[in-house]
Amino acid sequence: MKRSQRQRGQVRAGKVRRRGPHTEATPEPKAASRKAGQNRVGYLVVHGVGNQHQHIGSERSVLRHMGRAIVDPLARVQGEASVAWTERPECRETSDEWPFGTPAHATARFTVPGHQTGTVLIAEAVWSDRFRRPPWHLRWLLTLRYLLRSLPAVLLLVGPDRRDRSFWMPPETSFKRTLLNSIRNGLSPVSFFSSPETRQMGRLGWRLLTSVVLLAAFMALLSEHPWAAGGGAIGLLVLLSTRRNVADHVIMAAAQDQERENLLDYLEDRLRWMREHCDEIVIVAHSLGGFLAHQVLARHEGHNQTKVIRLVGVGSGLKPIWVLQQTRRPLVAAVAWTLPIASVCLAWGASPLFEPSSSEIAAGMLMQLSATAPSLAAPLATQSPEFAATMLHGIADSFERIQNGILLIGDMSWWRWAALAVGATLSIACARIARSRIVPETKTPFVLPTPKGSKGLEWQEHSSQHDMVGRMLLPTLPAAVEQEATPVRGHPLGDHTKYFDSDGLLARRLTAGVLADVERSTSRKLGAQRWLETVTRYERALRKQHDRRRCFQAVLMLWMASAVLIPRMARGATLVEAVIGGWLPLGLTTVVLSSVFTWRGRKSHREIVALLDAELRDEPQLAPPIRIVLPQHRTAATLSFATGAVFAFYGALWLSLLSDLHPAWRVRSPGAPLLAAVVLAILAAATCSGYRVKRRWAAGAALLASIPALTSSIPRSPTTPVYATAPGVPLAAVVLIAVAAALISLTRAHVVQFPEPHPARRP
């Protein structure tokens, strides 16, 4: 006890020196002499998972990939001559003063217009080869063992993330939800489709649908091509045996306490080197490095925070690693394994309650459309009273089937009731255990200690909405730590690895931070505020564009899923059976849409960043490139386009049947309404997302739907008007009315432009 108290007192006095497996504090040497009033700013960059030590000294080194990215935007905006980069390589020779040697570091001296100069020291901390890794012949086995033990953590992939913040963490300023407001919002189509609850359920359903499709694809590959599946498994095992298996880094941080503490000693030594050479320190940590940097600053009651003014986590692995650490607790592991079992019991036990009803409802809706479609496609001359009576009987039968589907409670056997009881009991037990034993111990797991007499450092966490590591929402961080979502690519893995690209917005935000830090320490005017305001406006523009693009992709995927699943469910298949049976078209559509929209998002990102750099260079700006229709002005056009698409689709099917049933009739171009249905469905998805579609596209779709009515006919009698002998006239009339209503709504719609004008330039 006396020794530990003496060590804590020495830690307060200064640095920490390694002696064997333990650490001991010694006085910190004095910083190098500097000019009066000149405080040197330093940035320490910490990388994430990966074998970055293989790139030391190259263009792919941590110092150049992360450190150089902090000042490169200045060179892109003001010219290469505005930034002078002087680099020194890493020295790994150990000494009593520096047990791990000295880090690779560089001095960046930059000049801004007005001949104002600034200097910043940037150093790297490459830790990927500073801990012991298992031998290659055991690496794959240990990795698979840890993955199987942590299998319940896979549920994090479908858990809440940054996009669900409005649902899980509503703002305090939200209005009081009364019964009247709830009814009003439920009856309003705009409020229903834009509500956080609908978005959350839709996103969760999409994730589950994707998981089932991937599982079905894997099972199909395994059953139809066992040799290919076996070869893939062998290749995976070989990959897990090489040094490319970066899962060792995660396992070290989550489960190997001694190795993690030794690695924290190394990072603490790098931080001590920065304290000796700088007066103000900013730590920029990526991925797993964010977790390690947080642990270093939480050591020794926060006294490692000396001179550290800001911690910037980028796609931080803080939350995932913390969750993996919690699974080592027996009680948490028991709950984590019990909840999936309870969910399976509930889903299997309750399946007769919702699966048959879903199929019956879908079949009833198809019956209703099948009953009404002939009246749109068949010529008016053939629509006798018997024809109308048949149509009304079909509509009545469809309503009866829908009603039976809603009232159906299923043929529940006793073992399904038993599964329901077991699932409900396990769920209640897990909820009570989590509320009483787990949640109270994890309310504030990430709060950094603040040393006495210190204001504490500024902590920022940056992540995109799709980053598979940094997008987790729960558990929560302290207030004001998580920043607005950073626009990157819209891809789970691509976002995590592209934060520090030369055309990224995060690098420009970090540049604004560098300018602000140097301004504060030197009392010079470097334009930091203008940089920050401009970057903020373009970030908001890209976030709005990202939301619009992802909504467009989601609605297109919804159309495709409906076209694939509804016919199968109408024939009696359950939802799961329909998804498994249609895995190939669903999988291909998912891959194609993801590739196209990711490519388009990346291209748009580069164009917007180029406009940002042009504005920072004071070049003339064109009209804002992003124009988004306001949400309240989208509903009428979306419903009109969707109605026209549905009627055009089923009208095309009935025209095809007419050509087969009556060969003497001249039914031409039945595929034109089908193509019009596809175009109208795409226009409905675009309008719902906020795009301002071109009117000629809608007019072209209406013209396609009218081609059969203009070119087809049946044998004519003298008393029958010409329009009554043309198949598809009612269909063309319905589509024309729907398109006209949509065009009128689009004409009256208001748009907002992004990025907004600079505050100093607004009229």
Side-chain angles (χ1 to χ4, degrees):
M1 178 65 68
K2 293 182 179 179
R3 181 181 178 184
S4 62
Q5 291 177 352
R6 183 171 63 253
Q7 287 181 353
R8 286 197 296 269
Q10 291 171 342
V11 167
R12 296 187 183 96
K15 70 181 182 181
V16 177
R17 176 179 295 175
R18 281 178 54 88
R19 289 186 179 179
H22 304 286
T23 60
E24 183 176 344
T26 56
E28 183 174 324
K30 295 181 179 179
S33 60
R34 302 184 185 90
K35 296 180 181 180
Q38 298 292 320
N39 297 324
R40 194 172 193 180
V41 178
Y43 274 66
L44 178 65
V45 292
V46 186
H47 67 84
V49 296
N51 301 306
Q52 280 81 357
H53 62 279
Q54 298 177 350
H55 310 307
I56 290 177
S58 68
E59 290 296 330
R60 299 172 61 189
S61 66
V62 177
L63 182 61
R64 297 185 186 177
H65 175 64
M66 293 179 62
R68 180 83 186 220
I70 299 175
V71 295
D72 258 352
L74 282 170
R76 293 173 64 92
V77 171
Q78 301 169 6
E80 295 293 337
S82 62
V83 178
W85 180 269
T86 305
E87 183 178 331
R88 295 185 180 181
E90 179 184 16
C91 177
R92 294 208 167 193
E93 295 182 1
T94 62
S95 62
D96 291 338
E97 184 179 4
W98 306 112
F100 298 98
T102 57
H105 57 280
T107 301
R109 183 179 178 86
F110 52 88
T111 305
V112 299
H115 304 288
Q116 298 288 336
T117 60
T119 304
V120 62
L121 176 68
I122 305 174
E124 68 177 11
V126 181
W127 53 264
S128 56
D129 62 335
R130 296 291 183 172
F131 67 95
R132 292 178 300 176
R133 304 181 71 175
W136 69 270
H137 58 278
L138 293 178
R139 189 171 297 150
W140 67 273
L141 182 61
L142 296 177
T143 300
L144 291 179
R145 186 187 70 175
Y146 185 79
L147 290 177
L148 290 176
R149 193 188 75 178
S150 307
L151 193 59
V154 176
L155 296 176
L156 298 175
L157 298 177
V158 295
D161 56 36
R162 296 174 64 95
R163 296 169 292 180
D164 307 319
R165 183 179 300 277
S166 58
F167 176 77
W168 291 91
M169 300 176 183
E172 297 179 358
T173 58
S174 61
F175 66 91
K176 184 178 180 180
R177 173 161 287 187
T178 61
L179 178 61
L180 182 60
N181 288 330
S182 301
I183 295 176
R184 185 185 300 114
N185 291 334
L187 295 177
S188 172
V190 177
S191 300
F192 175 78
F193 287 106
S194 63
S195 65
E197 295 84 356
T198 303
R199 292 198 303 268
Q200 167 67 7
M201 294 303 298
R203 189 172 295 117
L204 182 61
W206 190 340
R207 294 173 189 169
L208 293 176
L209 176 66
T210 304
S211 302
V212 174
V213 169
L214 293 177
L215 180 61
F218 177 76
M219 297 302 296
L221 177 65
L222 189 62
S223 60
E224 298 179 8
H225 306 283
W227 291 107
I234 293 175
L236 179 62
L237 292 179
V238 172
L239 179 64
L240 293 179
S241 301
T242 64
R243 294 190 68 85
R244 292 184 178 275
N245 177 16
V246 294
D248 291 338
H249 299 167
V250 179
I251 297 174
M252 174 273 303
Q256 299 176 0
D257 296 337
Q258 186 59 49
E259 291 295 332
R260 183 178 64 252
E261 291 301 317
N262 292 339
L263 187 56
L264 293 180
D265 290 340
Y266 163 75
L267 294 178
E268 195 168 9
D269 181 80
R270 289 294 186 251
L271 183 57
R272 184 168 58 91
W273 186 90
M274 291 293 294
R275 286 202 302 266
E276 184 170 315
H277 291 81
C278 304
D279 292 330
E280 294 180 344
I281 303 171
V282 177
I283 301 178
V284 180
H286 176 234
S287 186
L288 182 56
F291 169 80
L292 298 174
H294 178 274
Q295 297 299 297
V296 168
L297 296 177
R299 270 181 152 192
H300 310 305
E301 299 179 358
H303 289 282
N304 280 333
Q305 301 175 19
T306 306
K307 295 186 179 181
V308 178
I309 61 173
R310 187 162 62 253
L311 169 63
V312 181
V314 180
S316 177
L318 186 60
K319 295 180 181 180
I321 298 298
W322 180 85
V323 171
L324 291 176
Q325 286 181 336
Q326 300 308 304
T327 58
R328 299 171 60 188
R329 299 169 54 188
L331 190 61
V332 176
V335 171
W337 278 101
T338 304
L339 279 177
I341 297 174
S343 302
V344 171
C345 291
L346 288 173
W348 183 79
S351 59
L353 297 177
F354 60 87
E355 288 179 350
S357 65
S358 297
S359 299
E360 290 295 319
I361 292 173
M365 294 176 65
L366 283 178
M367 286 180 60
Q368 187 172 350
L369 288 172
S370 300
T372 56
S375 65
L376 296 174
L380 296 178
T382 63
Q383 296 184 13
S384 61
E386 292 79 8
F387 181 89
T390 303
M391 180 183 67
L392 293 177
H393 280 301
I395 295 175
D397 292 340
S398 67
F399 277 115
E400 182 179 359
R401 190 165 185 177
I402 293 174
Q403 184 179 8
N404 291 335
I406 294 174
L407 298 178
L408 185 65
I409 62 173
D411 185 14
M412 293 286 289
S413 55
W414 68 268
W415 53 82
R416 290 190 182 271
W417 287 110
L420 279 175
V422 170
T425 302
L426 292 179
S427 300
I428 294 173
C430 291
R432 292 183 64 87
I433 292 173
R435 186 180 297 114
S436 60
R437 300 291 302 276
I438 298 177
V439 174
E441 300 177 7
T442 59
K443 284 188 175 180
T444 55
F446 303 121
V447 176
L448 287 172
T450 303
K452 293 182 179 179
S454 173
K455 297 185 299 183
L457 55 85
E458 180 186 1
W459 181 11
Q460 300 176 358
E461 288 289 335
H462 297 271
S463 173
S464 78
Q465 291 182 331
H466 296 270
D467 183 356
M468 59 187 304
V469 177
R471 71 183 184 185
M472 285 180 57
L473 183 60
L474 302 175
T476 59
L477 294 178
V481 170
E482 285 189 296
Q483 309 298 305
E484 289 287 339
T486 301
V488 190
R489 295 180 60 181
H491 188 272
L493 184 59
D495 280 13
H496 188 67
T497 58
K498 301 295 183 181
Y499 285 110
F500 297 94
D501 280 5
S502 59
D503 57 353
L505 277 181
L506 180 63
R508 284 151 179 79
R509 177 167 286 276
L510 294 177
T511 300
V514 170
L515 295 175
D517 294 335
V518 176
E519 273 188 358
R520 183 182 60 256
S521 62
T522 61
S523 299
R524 297 174 180 172
K525 297 298 182 180
L526 302 177
Q529 186 63 28
R530 177 172 178 257
W531 266 80
L532 183 59
E533 290 178 353
T534 306
V535 171
T536 300
R537 290 190 297 110
Y538 278 83
E539 279 183 341
R540 185 167 184 264
L542 280 177
R543 277 194 293 268
K544 293 294 184 179
Q545 189 185 48
H546 161 270
D547 294 342
R548 180 180 64 171
R549 185 172 59 250
R550 300 302 292 190
C551 182
F552 191 15
Q553 178 183 351
V555 178
L556 289 179
M557 189 64 200
L558 177 63
W559 278 115
M560 185 63 188
S562 301
V564 173
L565 299 180
I566 289 179
R568 296 177 183 272
M569 295 172 63
R571 292 194 292 266
T574 64
L575 177 60
V576 177
E577 291 172 348
V579 170
I580 293 176
W583 71 268
L584 184 58
L586 290 176
L588 288 177
T589 304
T590 301
V591 172
V592 171
L593 288 180
S594 298
S595 302
V596 170
F597 279 91
T598 300
W599 168 79
R600 179 55 191 163
R602 188 60 175 167
K603 181 180 178 181
S604 176
H605 188 103
R606 291 172 177 168
E607 293 172 354
I608 299 300
V609 171
L611 292 177
L612 166 63
D613 292 342
E615 181 172 335
L616 291 173
R617 285 193 294 267
D618 292 327
E619 294 180 358
Q621 294 294 301
L622 302 176
I626 302 175
R627 305 179 68 194
I628 300 178
V629 179
L630 293 175
Q632 58 268 28
H633 296 159
R634 306 175 190 173
T635 307
T638 301
L639 293 178
S640 299
F641 280 134
T643 302
V646 171
F647 281 109
F649 176 77
Y650 286 101
L653 294 183
W654 184 249
L655 284 172
S656 300
L657 291 177
L658 283 180
S659 63
D660 295 336
L661 295 175
H662 302 281
W665 293 6
R666 292 180 296 176
V667 180
R668 298 177 180 176
S669 305
L674 184 62
L675 182 58
V678 175
V679 175
L680 291 174
I682 295 175
L683 293 180
T687 306
C688 176
S689 307
Y691 288 89
R692 190 177 178 87
V693 300
K694 296 182 179 180
R695 294 170 177 79
R696 61 174 176 268
W697 296 344
L703 179 61
L704 285 174
S706 304
I707 288 178
L710 298 175
T711 59
S712 304
S713 64
I714 64 173
R716 181 185 173 191
S717 64
T719 60
T720 305
V722 176
Y723 67 87
T725 61
V729 169
L731 168 64
V734 171
V735 173
L736 287 173
I737 292 173
V739 170
L743 292 178
I744 293 173
S745 177
L746 290 176
T747 304
R748 301 177 60 184
H750 296 283
V751 299
V752 290
Q753 299 181 351
F754 297 97
E756 308 94 328
H758 194 279
R761 301 180 181 179
R762 287 177 180 171

